[in-house]
Amino acid sequence: MIDKHQGGCLCGRLRFSTEGEPERASVCHCRTCQLRTGSAFSVSVYFRIVKVSVLSGALLSYTRESESGHRWDIRRCENCGTALFWTISGYDWDGLIGVAGGCFDPPAFWYSLTREVFTRSRAPFCTIEVPHHLETHPAHAPRHPDPPRLDGSGA
Ligand SMILES: [Zn+2]
Ligand SMILES: [Zn+2]
């Protein structure tokens, strides 16, 4: 039997479903994730794009290039602004879509986390229980420096 899960945004207009286990799931403390969520970290659950279906609602897209040259395409509910999905170019992200880990219907946290990344900008009050802790990310290779508010190296 295929494991299916549903979820959605705060207002409920944007609904989605996922099929099967994620390719990986992790916590990210990078400044991009802190700012795109407005929180201390993101919970990033990656699926093959074909395993994620939008059932209703409409998405707004915001694109930016990371300091390592990866193109982020962040998608939010056009009504309430919940950031549900993103894609990132390069590394092994092509063909994957990130799903915001807090947006699944209860029991929301049904998946297992494999690691936390960008611990260099982790909030001092965060203790995440995962098998692996990485100071940055295997794909982190800055080409052009981010402005100080986005640079997590001194946090
Ligand atoms: Zn919404
Ligand atoms: Zn991040």
Side-chain angles (χ1 to χ4, degrees), residues 1 7 22 24 26 29 41 46 49-50 57 66-67 70 102 105 114 124 134 137 149 154:
M1 199 177 94
R24 63 173 178 270
S26 56
H29 303 277
F41 58 87
Y46 287 97
I49 286 174
V50 293
S66 76
E67 63 178 351
H70 302 292
D105 293 343
T114 51
L134 280 69
H137 187 280
R149 69 187 184 85

Side-chain angles (χ1 to χ4, degrees), residues 9-14 77 79-81:
C9 63
L10 181 59
C11 80
R13 283 193 196 176
L14 197 298
C77 168
N79 186 49
C80 72

